[in-house]
Amino acid sequence: MRQPGRVRLAADARTGKAALYRRWPSKAELVVDTLDHALPAPEDAPDTGSVRDDLVEHMRQKAEVLNSSVGRAVQSLLAEIDRDRPLVRLVQEHVFQPRENVFQLILERGVQRGEVRSGRLSPLVAELGPAMLVQRLLSDSARFPTTTWCPWWTS
């Protein structure tokens, strides 16, 4: 017989349910912390010295994560938007929003190095790459290519 979530989680972690409830009073907080830990931290944005290489590497890392069990969890979570708005709001605030600015950060470093014209940088431009991945995530269950996802940027 399959055990309920927290019982199985406590057994897997070799701890008691009480310890889990002390650390995460709700299932939503457990989900948020798990996703936050499993996804690359925003401060780990690639910095190769080339805006092009940084963007390609960042998108490759995102594709790799979306192809993993974490990506499937994110996809399932997005499917719950209409059913569990408080959970989705918590994940948006504590997991997704801190990571949304990575593209902007990479492009701003490109401006500082003279690789990107500052007048061309806008929030919309910074949203394009992540928006492509989200669109594909929502519309297609196929794996993301992690090597040639962006053939027009290859050297």
Side-chain angles (χ1 to χ4, degrees), residues 23-72:
R23 175 67 179 91
W24 298 285
S26 72
K27 191 184 298 185
E29 290 171 304
L30 174 62
V31 169
V32 167
D33 269 5
T34 301
L35 282 173
D36 190 43
H37 178 75
L39 294 170
E43 58 270 9
D44 293 340
D47 190 1
T48 64
S50 160
V51 71
R52 177 210 171 272
D53 293 345
D54 291 350
L55 290 172
V56 169
E57 177 59 17
H58 178 63
M59 293 297 280
R60 189 201 61 74
Q61 289 173 357
K62 279 184 168 287
E64 196 171 89
V65 168
L66 292 172
N67 286 334
S68 72
S69 57
V70 174
R72 287 187 294 282

Side-chain angles (χ1 to χ4, degrees), residues 42-114:
E43 58 270 9
D44 293 340
D47 190 1
T48 64
S50 160
V51 71
R52 177 210 171 272
D53 293 345
D54 291 350
L55 290 172
V56 169
E57 177 59 17
H58 178 63
M59 293 297 280
R60 189 201 61 74
Q61 289 173 357
K62 279 184 168 287
E64 196 171 89
V65 168
L66 292 172
N67 286 334
S68 72
S69 57
V70 174
R72 287 187 294 282
V74 168
Q75 198 169 22
S76 296
L77 184 65
L78 291 174
E80 295 295 316
I81 285 174
D82 289 335
R83 286 187 258 175
D84 197 343
R85 289 191 186 275
L87 172 61
V88 172
R89 189 176 310 113
L90 263 179
V91 171
Q92 179 64 28
E93 290 172 4
H94 298 283
V95 179
F96 296 152
Q97 282 179 349
R99 289 165 174 83
E100 285 176 358
N101 295 328
V102 173
F103 237 70
Q104 182 81 26
L105 169 73
I106 291 170
L107 292 170
E108 286 171 358
R109 284 194 313 230
V111 168
Q112 292 169 358
R113 290 191 300 253

